[in-house]
Amino acid sequence: MDIDHTLISEIYRSASLEPAFVPALARFASRYEAAGSSLLINDVVEPVVSRIHFSPLDIAEKVAEFMRLFGQDEQKVVRKVGAMNERFLFMSEADALELGDDISAGTAWSREHMGLDKRYAARLSVTPLWFDSITLNYAVNHPGISAWAKKDAPVYMQHFAAALDMMRPFRLLQARFKAVSAALDRMTLGVAVVARDGTVVHHNRRFGDLVDQRDGVALDASRQLRFFGAARQQGSRLMTQLQSFAGGDRRGADRAHFVFERPSGRMAYVASLCPLAELMDDDPATAEMAVLVIKDVSLGDPIEVDGLASIFALTEAEAEVSRLLVNGASVKDIAAQRDVSVGSTRNQISSVLEKTASKSQTHLIRTAMKVDLPVEPVPEVPDEDS
């Protein structure tokens, strides 16, 4: 039997990067002369992770419409077809439902709108907690799946099943991340889960807004982080740090902080990166992943300097100057807001930089981010004798 090793490789790529299911399904369908293939992930315990992957992509809108009209019936049909046959063996919808020459409403719609006719489904999973299945869809007037295809396909279906088992914990993690990221949107924090090669696996809306500006930080067509302009140096450091997190024991690894200068001249982005393993207790799905948090300090809540003032013993005036400086104010702006001379303001800034061992405003921002802690004044304890 001629084994397609490229198809097997593409299947396992899907375990770490979900959109890769599309080329794997396309190659799977092509091998058996099918017009398309789909993968239905149906999780009973966590319905939020249930979804359908399909190929080819050019019928995406039609598939979405099909699922809107027949989604619930579709899951019942595929489950019934899969349950009636042994694992990894295809059975036609018509045979499973004993339709004879009749067809279901969904199949009739598929014929008219997508040019698809005969459909064959096979069960991938064996657990009662979830039901994963794969289908082959053939064009109208095609004779359907061949006897050779029925014998050959189980070789690859075993790999699809294994890939789904590998990625299921991460899918659950993604579902939890979506709930948290919605809250972080309101805090003007851009948050993303990033693979060791810089591929952004998932991100919240605020992160998407930041990279869409392409102001020093962006995503390319393959969803990989790209840095340009003055942000390149820090971007290179971030990529090196990702590789460091991915190697060896990631638990307890230090967080890294970055300041990305923006070509537009606007206030720099500040960011932090930490291993996902640090946040999740030994979950295998977190391997070689990191969480990247980016903040546009010109928006929303300002960077606080309470921690900076406490650790470096800044005076009240120096703390106020620091707060204005790290949040983007110029020397003239600071002088005007505090109603002092520009010369006095420069002297106070020099004192702040000296005390904090900062070489520049950017360096001071990075230091402030590292010690941006909720530092509260220590209450005075009354003398017991008083």
Side-chain angles (χ1 to χ4, degrees), residues 40 42 50-52 62-79 105-106 109 119:
L40 181 66
N42 185 261
S50 299
R51 67 177 304 170
I52 186 171
K62 292 179 180 178
V63 171
E65 178 68 6
F66 175 83
M67 292 303 293
R68 186 184 69 80
L69 294 172
F70 307 102
Q72 292 184 346
D73 292 336
E74 171 75 1
Q75 292 197 17
K76 292 178 182 177
V77 168
V78 174
R79 287 176 68 91
W109 192 93
R119 178 171 54 174

PDB file of all heavy atoms in Angstrom, residues 40 42 50-52 62-79 105-106 109 119:
ATOM      1  N   LEU A  40     -15.938  16.497  12.188  1.00  0.00           N
ATOM      2  CA  LEU A  40     -16.896  16.988  13.177  1.00  0.00           C
ATOM      3  C   LEU A  40     -16.397  16.638  14.573  1.00  0.00           C
ATOM      4  O   LEU A  40     -16.238  15.463  14.909  1.00  0.00           O
ATOM      5  CB  LEU A  40     -18.272  16.368  12.945  1.00  0.00           C
ATOM      6  CG  LEU A  40     -19.377  16.810  13.909  1.00  0.00           C
ATOM      7  CD1 LEU A  40     -19.687  18.297  13.714  1.00  0.00           C
ATOM      8  CD2 LEU A  40     -20.637  15.978  13.702  1.00  0.00           C
ATOM      9  N   ASN A  42     -17.410  16.742  18.291  1.00  0.00           N
ATOM     10  CA  ASN A  42     -18.637  16.877  19.063  1.00  0.00           C
ATOM     11  C   ASN A  42     -18.347  16.483  20.505  1.00  0.00           C
ATOM     12  O   ASN A  42     -18.188  15.308  20.812  1.00  0.00           O
ATOM     13  CB  ASN A  42     -19.729  15.985  18.463  1.00  0.00           C
ATOM     14  CG  ASN A  42     -21.072  16.177  19.143  1.00  0.00           C
ATOM     15  OD1 ASN A  42     -21.450  15.393  19.991  1.00  0.00           O
ATOM     16  ND2 ASN A  42     -21.776  17.226  18.770  1.00  0.00           N
ATOM     17  N   SER A  50     -16.996  22.090  20.569  1.00  0.00           N
ATOM     18  CA  SER A  50     -17.493  21.352  19.413  1.00  0.00           C
ATOM     19  C   SER A  50     -17.516  22.254  18.185  1.00  0.00           C
ATOM     20  O   SER A  50     -17.935  23.406  18.259  1.00  0.00           O
ATOM     21  CB  SER A  50     -18.900  20.827  19.693  1.00  0.00           C
ATOM     22  OG  SER A  50     -18.906  19.952  20.800  1.00  0.00           O
ATOM     23  N   ARG A  51     -17.087  21.710  17.057  1.00  0.00           N
ATOM     24  CA  ARG A  51     -17.124  22.482  15.821  1.00  0.00           C
ATOM     25  C   ARG A  51     -16.890  21.573  14.616  1.00  0.00           C
ATOM     26  O   ARG A  51     -16.610  20.391  14.776  1.00  0.00           O
ATOM     27  CB  ARG A  51     -16.094  23.605  15.831  1.00  0.00           C
ATOM     28  CG  ARG A  51     -14.657  23.142  15.816  1.00  0.00           C
ATOM     29  CD  ARG A  51     -13.725  24.322  15.751  1.00  0.00           C
ATOM     30  NE  ARG A  51     -14.009  25.171  14.611  1.00  0.00           N
ATOM     31  CZ  ARG A  51     -13.470  26.370  14.413  1.00  0.00           C
ATOM     32  NH1 ARG A  51     -12.631  26.846  15.302  1.00  0.00           N
ATOM     33  NH2 ARG A  51     -13.741  27.081  13.351  1.00  0.00           N
ATOM     34  N   ILE A  52     -17.016  22.147  13.437  1.00  0.00           N
ATOM     35  CA  ILE A  52     -16.790  21.381  12.214  1.00  0.00           C
ATOM     36  C   ILE A  52     -15.673  22.034  11.409  1.00  0.00           C
ATOM     37  O   ILE A  52     -15.593  23.265  11.313  1.00  0.00           O
ATOM     38  CB  ILE A  52     -18.080  21.288  11.372  1.00  0.00           C
ATOM     39  CG1 ILE A  52     -17.871  20.370  10.162  1.00  0.00           C
ATOM     40  CG2 ILE A  52     -18.581  22.662  10.944  1.00  0.00           C
ATOM     41  CD1 ILE A  52     -19.140  20.052   9.416  1.00  0.00           C
ATOM     42  N   LYS A  62     -21.306  28.729   2.348  1.00  0.00           N
ATOM     43  CA  LYS A  62     -22.386  27.772   2.130  1.00  0.00           C
ATOM     44  C   LYS A  62     -22.432  26.732   3.249  1.00  0.00           C
ATOM     45  O   LYS A  62     -23.521  26.322   3.676  1.00  0.00           O
ATOM     46  CB  LYS A  62     -22.224  27.101   0.771  1.00  0.00           C
ATOM     47  CG  LYS A  62     -22.433  28.047  -0.405  1.00  0.00           C
ATOM     48  CD  LYS A  62     -22.243  27.338  -1.739  1.00  0.00           C
ATOM     49  CE  LYS A  62     -22.446  28.303  -2.898  1.00  0.00           C
ATOM     50  NZ  LYS A  62     -22.227  27.664  -4.212  1.00  0.00           N
ATOM     51  N   VAL A  63     -21.254  26.304   3.721  1.00  0.00           N
ATOM     52  CA  VAL A  63     -21.212  25.353   4.820  1.00  0.00           C
ATOM     53  C   VAL A  63     -21.790  25.989   6.082  1.00  0.00           C
ATOM     54  O   VAL A  63     -22.543  25.350   6.834  1.00  0.00           O
ATOM     55  CB  VAL A  63     -19.773  24.858   5.076  1.00  0.00           C
ATOM     56  CG1 VAL A  63     -19.703  24.041   6.366  1.00  0.00           C
ATOM     57  CG2 VAL A  63     -19.293  24.005   3.907  1.00  0.00           C
ATOM     58  N   ALA A  64     -21.447  27.256   6.326  1.00  0.00           N
ATOM     59  CA  ALA A  64     -21.989  27.962   7.487  1.00  0.00           C
ATOM     60  C   ALA A  64     -23.517  28.039   7.404  1.00  0.00           C
ATOM     61  O   ALA A  64     -24.217  27.855   8.412  1.00  0.00           O
ATOM     62  CB  ALA A  64     -21.381  29.364   7.577  1.00  0.00           C
ATOM     63  N   GLU A  65     -24.037  28.300   6.208  1.00  0.00           N
ATOM     64  CA  GLU A  65     -25.478  28.352   6.027  1.00  0.00           C
ATOM     65  C   GLU A  65     -26.096  26.966   6.236  1.00  0.00           C
ATOM     66  O   GLU A  65     -27.161  26.828   6.851  1.00  0.00           O
ATOM     67  CB  GLU A  65     -25.798  28.864   4.614  1.00  0.00           C
ATOM     68  CG  GLU A  65     -27.279  28.925   4.267  1.00  0.00           C
ATOM     69  CD  GLU A  65     -28.041  29.978   5.054  1.00  0.00           C
ATOM     70  OE1 GLU A  65     -27.407  30.749   5.802  1.00  0.00           O
ATOM     71  OE2 GLU A  65     -29.275  30.033   4.906  1.00  0.00           O
ATOM     72  N   PHE A  66     -25.419  25.940   5.728  1.00  0.00           N
ATOM     73  CA  PHE A  66     -25.887  24.568   5.908  1.00  0.00           C
ATOM     74  C   PHE A  66     -25.983  24.222   7.392  1.00  0.00           C
ATOM     75  O   PHE A  66     -26.982  23.645   7.854  1.00  0.00           O
ATOM     76  CB  PHE A  66     -24.942  23.596   5.196  1.00  0.00           C
ATOM     77  CG  PHE A  66     -25.265  22.144   5.428  1.00  0.00           C
ATOM     78  CD1 PHE A  66     -26.229  21.505   4.669  1.00  0.00           C
ATOM     79  CD2 PHE A  66     -24.597  21.419   6.410  1.00  0.00           C
ATOM     80  CE1 PHE A  66     -26.538  20.157   4.879  1.00  0.00           C
ATOM     81  CE2 PHE A  66     -24.890  20.080   6.623  1.00  0.00           C
ATOM     82  CZ  PHE A  66     -25.865  19.456   5.861  1.00  0.00           C
ATOM     83  N   MET A  67     -24.943  24.580   8.171  1.00  0.00           N
ATOM     84  CA  MET A  67     -24.938  24.266   9.594  1.00  0.00           C
ATOM     85  C   MET A  67     -25.998  25.067  10.341  1.00  0.00           C
ATOM     86  O   MET A  67     -26.568  24.587  11.326  1.00  0.00           O
ATOM     87  CB  MET A  67     -23.552  24.527  10.187  1.00  0.00           C
ATOM     88  CG  MET A  67     -22.475  23.571   9.676  1.00  0.00           C
ATOM     89  SD  MET A  67     -22.868  21.827   9.977  1.00  0.00           S
ATOM     90  CE  MET A  67     -22.780  21.774  11.771  1.00  0.00           C
ATOM     91  N   ARG A  68     -26.273  26.282   9.875  1.00  0.00           N
ATOM     92  CA  ARG A  68     -27.329  27.076  10.519  1.00  0.00           C
ATOM     93  C   ARG A  68     -28.698  26.434  10.315  1.00  0.00           C
ATOM     94  O   ARG A  68     -29.529  26.399  11.221  1.00  0.00           O
ATOM     95  CB  ARG A  68     -27.324  28.500   9.951  1.00  0.00           C
ATOM     96  CG  ARG A  68     -28.299  29.446  10.658  1.00  0.00           C
ATOM     97  CD  ARG A  68     -28.321  30.807   9.999  1.00  0.00           C
ATOM     98  NE  ARG A  68     -28.928  30.766   8.677  1.00  0.00           N
ATOM     99  CZ  ARG A  68     -30.252  30.755   8.475  1.00  0.00           C
ATOM    100  NH1 ARG A  68     -31.087  30.766   9.506  1.00  0.00           N
ATOM    101  NH2 ARG A  68     -30.734  30.723   7.252  1.00  0.00           N
ATOM    102  N   LEU A  69     -28.906  25.896   9.116  1.00  0.00           N
ATOM    103  CA  LEU A  69     -30.204  25.304   8.795  1.00  0.00           C
ATOM    104  C   LEU A  69     -30.351  23.879   9.318  1.00  0.00           C
ATOM    105  O   LEU A  69     -31.432  23.487   9.774  1.00  0.00           O
ATOM    106  CB  LEU A  69     -30.406  25.298   7.270  1.00  0.00           C
ATOM    107  CG  LEU A  69     -30.527  26.669   6.594  1.00  0.00           C
ATOM    108  CD1 LEU A  69     -30.522  26.511   5.086  1.00  0.00           C
ATOM    109  CD2 LEU A  69     -31.786  27.390   7.058  1.00  0.00           C
ATOM    110  N   PHE A  70     -29.261  23.114   9.248  1.00  0.00           N
ATOM    111  CA  PHE A  70     -29.365  21.686   9.541  1.00  0.00           C
ATOM    112  C   PHE A  70     -28.361  21.220  10.596  1.00  0.00           C
ATOM    113  O   PHE A  70     -28.115  20.021  10.717  1.00  0.00           O
ATOM    114  CB  PHE A  70     -29.147  20.867   8.254  1.00  0.00           C
ATOM    115  CG  PHE A  70     -30.024  21.281   7.107  1.00  0.00           C
ATOM    116  CD1 PHE A  70     -29.520  22.058   6.068  1.00  0.00           C
ATOM    117  CD2 PHE A  70     -31.361  20.920   7.071  1.00  0.00           C
ATOM    118  CE1 PHE A  70     -30.322  22.443   5.007  1.00  0.00           C
ATOM    119  CE2 PHE A  70     -32.178  21.302   6.018  1.00  0.00           C
ATOM    120  CZ  PHE A  70     -31.654  22.071   4.983  1.00  0.00           C
ATOM    121  N   GLY A  71     -27.779  22.146  11.343  1.00  0.00           N
ATOM    122  CA  GLY A  71     -26.716  21.808  12.277  1.00  0.00           C
ATOM    123  C   GLY A  71     -27.064  20.699  13.257  1.00  0.00           C
ATOM    124  O   GLY A  71     -26.331  19.716  13.399  1.00  0.00           O
ATOM    125  N   GLN A  72     -28.191  20.856  13.951  1.00  0.00           N
ATOM    126  CA  GLN A  72     -28.564  19.854  14.944  1.00  0.00           C
ATOM    127  C   GLN A  72     -28.880  18.513  14.281  1.00  0.00           C
ATOM    128  O   GLN A  72     -28.466  17.455  14.761  1.00  0.00           O
ATOM    129  CB  GLN A  72     -29.765  20.352  15.754  1.00  0.00           C
ATOM    130  CG  GLN A  72     -29.432  21.540  16.650  1.00  0.00           C
ATOM    131  CD  GLN A  72     -30.616  21.952  17.513  1.00  0.00           C
ATOM    132  OE1 GLN A  72     -31.749  21.539  17.266  1.00  0.00           O
ATOM    133  NE2 GLN A  72     -30.356  22.758  18.526  1.00  0.00           N
ATOM    134  N   ASP A  73     -29.618  18.562  13.181  1.00  0.00           N
ATOM    135  CA  ASP A  73     -29.921  17.324  12.461  1.00  0.00           C
ATOM    136  C   ASP A  73     -28.644  16.692  11.916  1.00  0.00           C
ATOM    137  O   ASP A  73     -28.507  15.464  11.893  1.00  0.00           O
ATOM    138  CB  ASP A  73     -30.887  17.598  11.298  1.00  0.00           C
ATOM    139  CG  ASP A  73     -32.271  17.993  11.788  1.00  0.00           C
ATOM    140  OD1 ASP A  73     -32.607  17.628  12.933  1.00  0.00           O
ATOM    141  OD2 ASP A  73     -32.992  18.669  11.042  1.00  0.00           O
ATOM    142  N   GLU A  74     -27.704  17.549  11.492  1.00  0.00           N
ATOM    143  CA  GLU A  74     -26.436  17.063  10.942  1.00  0.00           C
ATOM    144  C   GLU A  74     -25.677  16.242  11.976  1.00  0.00           C
ATOM    145  O   GLU A  74     -25.162  15.159  11.672  1.00  0.00           O
ATOM    146  CB  GLU A  74     -25.588  18.250  10.489  1.00  0.00           C
ATOM    147  CG  GLU A  74     -24.161  17.920  10.101  1.00  0.00           C
ATOM    148  CD  GLU A  74     -24.064  17.235   8.749  1.00  0.00           C
ATOM    149  OE1 GLU A  74     -25.104  17.027   8.104  1.00  0.00           O
ATOM    150  OE2 GLU A  74     -22.953  16.892   8.352  1.00  0.00           O
ATOM    151  N   GLN A  75     -25.609  16.739  13.198  1.00  0.00           N
ATOM    152  CA  GLN A  75     -24.893  16.015  14.235  1.00  0.00           C
ATOM    153  C   GLN A  75     -25.569  14.677  14.527  1.00  0.00           C
ATOM    154  O   GLN A  75     -24.904  13.657  14.729  1.00  0.00           O
ATOM    155  CB  GLN A  75     -24.809  16.860  15.505  1.00  0.00           C
ATOM    156  CG  GLN A  75     -23.930  18.088  15.343  1.00  0.00           C
ATOM    157  CD  GLN A  75     -23.521  18.686  16.676  1.00  0.00           C
ATOM    158  OE1 GLN A  75     -23.621  18.031  17.711  1.00  0.00           O
ATOM    159  NE2 GLN A  75     -23.062  19.917  16.657  1.00  0.00           N
ATOM    160  N   LYS A  76     -26.906  14.680  14.537  1.00  0.00           N
ATOM    161  CA  LYS A  76     -27.634  13.427  14.780  1.00  0.00           C
ATOM    162  C   LYS A  76     -27.361  12.417  13.672  1.00  0.00           C
ATOM    163  O   LYS A  76     -27.170  11.233  13.932  1.00  0.00           O
ATOM    164  CB  LYS A  76     -29.129  13.711  14.883  1.00  0.00           C
ATOM    165  CG  LYS A  76     -29.528  14.519  16.118  1.00  0.00           C
ATOM    166  CD  LYS A  76     -31.025  14.809  16.113  1.00  0.00           C
ATOM    167  CE  LYS A  76     -31.425  15.664  17.311  1.00  0.00           C
ATOM    168  NZ  LYS A  76     -32.878  16.001  17.274  1.00  0.00           N
ATOM    169  N   VAL A  77     -27.361  12.907  12.424  1.00  0.00           N
ATOM    170  CA  VAL A  77     -27.133  12.011  11.286  1.00  0.00           C
ATOM    171  C   VAL A  77     -25.737  11.393  11.361  1.00  0.00           C
ATOM    172  O   VAL A  77     -25.569  10.172  11.245  1.00  0.00           O
ATOM    173  CB  VAL A  77     -27.304  12.766   9.953  1.00  0.00           C
ATOM    174  CG1 VAL A  77     -26.777  11.934   8.788  1.00  0.00           C
ATOM    175  CG2 VAL A  77     -28.772  13.115   9.725  1.00  0.00           C
ATOM    176  N   VAL A  78     -24.727  12.243  11.567  1.00  0.00           N
ATOM    177  CA  VAL A  78     -23.350  11.748  11.589  1.00  0.00           C
ATOM    178  C   VAL A  78     -23.133  10.796  12.753  1.00  0.00           C
ATOM    179  O   VAL A  78     -22.456   9.763  12.626  1.00  0.00           O
ATOM    180  CB  VAL A  78     -22.353  12.927  11.645  1.00  0.00           C
ATOM    181  CG1 VAL A  78     -20.930  12.422  11.811  1.00  0.00           C
ATOM    182  CG2 VAL A  78     -22.462  13.769  10.384  1.00  0.00           C
ATOM    183  N   ARG A  79     -23.713  11.111  13.904  1.00  0.00           N
ATOM    184  CA  ARG A  79     -23.589  10.222  15.065  1.00  0.00           C
ATOM    185  C   ARG A  79     -24.241   8.866  14.786  1.00  0.00           C
ATOM    186  O   ARG A  79     -23.705   7.816  15.137  1.00  0.00           O
ATOM    187  CB  ARG A  79     -24.216  10.867  16.302  1.00  0.00           C
ATOM    188  CG  ARG A  79     -23.393  12.016  16.880  1.00  0.00           C
ATOM    189  CD  ARG A  79     -24.118  12.666  18.042  1.00  0.00           C
ATOM    190  NE  ARG A  79     -24.197  11.755  19.172  1.00  0.00           N
ATOM    191  CZ  ARG A  79     -23.287  11.672  20.153  1.00  0.00           C
ATOM    192  NH1 ARG A  79     -22.210  12.437  20.094  1.00  0.00           N
ATOM    193  NH2 ARG A  79     -23.423  10.842  21.147  1.00  0.00           N
ATOM    194  N   ALA A 105     -33.297  16.044   4.045  1.00  0.00           N
ATOM    195  CA  ALA A 105     -33.449  17.460   3.677  1.00  0.00           C
ATOM    196  C   ALA A 105     -32.089  18.128   3.529  1.00  0.00           C
ATOM    197  O   ALA A 105     -31.872  18.951   2.634  1.00  0.00           O
ATOM    198  CB  ALA A 105     -34.282  18.178   4.729  1.00  0.00           C
ATOM    199  N   GLY A 106     -31.145  17.757   4.413  1.00  0.00           N
ATOM    200  CA  GLY A 106     -29.808  18.344   4.329  1.00  0.00           C
ATOM    201  C   GLY A 106     -29.088  17.963   3.054  1.00  0.00           C
ATOM    202  O   GLY A 106     -28.419  18.784   2.428  1.00  0.00           O
ATOM    203  N   TRP A 109     -30.453  19.915   0.145  1.00  0.00           N
ATOM    204  CA  TRP A 109     -29.933  21.288   0.139  1.00  0.00           C
ATOM    205  C   TRP A 109     -28.495  21.294  -0.386  1.00  0.00           C
ATOM    206  O   TRP A 109     -28.112  22.165  -1.152  1.00  0.00           O
ATOM    207  CB  TRP A 109     -29.999  21.862   1.552  1.00  0.00           C
ATOM    208  CG  TRP A 109     -29.771  23.343   1.627  1.00  0.00           C
ATOM    209  CD1 TRP A 109     -30.713  24.336   1.612  1.00  0.00           C
ATOM    210  CD2 TRP A 109     -28.497  24.009   1.748  1.00  0.00           C
ATOM    211  NE1 TRP A 109     -30.121  25.567   1.715  1.00  0.00           N
ATOM    212  CE2 TRP A 109     -28.764  25.400   1.796  1.00  0.00           C
ATOM    213  CE3 TRP A 109     -27.190  23.571   1.810  1.00  0.00           C
ATOM    214  CZ2 TRP A 109     -27.753  26.336   1.914  1.00  0.00           C
ATOM    215  CZ3 TRP A 109     -26.173  24.513   1.919  1.00  0.00           C
ATOM    216  CH2 TRP A 109     -26.457  25.876   1.978  1.00  0.00           C
ATOM    217  N   ARG A 119     -22.650  11.035   0.696  1.00  0.00           N
ATOM    218  CA  ARG A 119     -21.806  11.354   1.840  1.00  0.00           C
ATOM    219  C   ARG A 119     -21.558  10.084   2.643  1.00  0.00           C
ATOM    220  O   ARG A 119     -22.470   9.294   2.889  1.00  0.00           O
ATOM    221  CB  ARG A 119     -22.470  12.405   2.721  1.00  0.00           C
ATOM    222  CG  ARG A 119     -21.651  12.730   3.960  1.00  0.00           C
ATOM    223  CD  ARG A 119     -22.194  13.907   4.691  1.00  0.00           C
ATOM    224  NE  ARG A 119     -23.612  13.759   5.016  1.00  0.00           N
ATOM    225  CZ  ARG A 119     -24.279  14.619   5.764  1.00  0.00           C
ATOM    226  NH1 ARG A 119     -23.668  15.694   6.205  1.00  0.00           N
ATOM    227  NH2 ARG A 119     -25.547  14.421   6.039  1.00  0.00           N
TER     228      ARG A 119
END
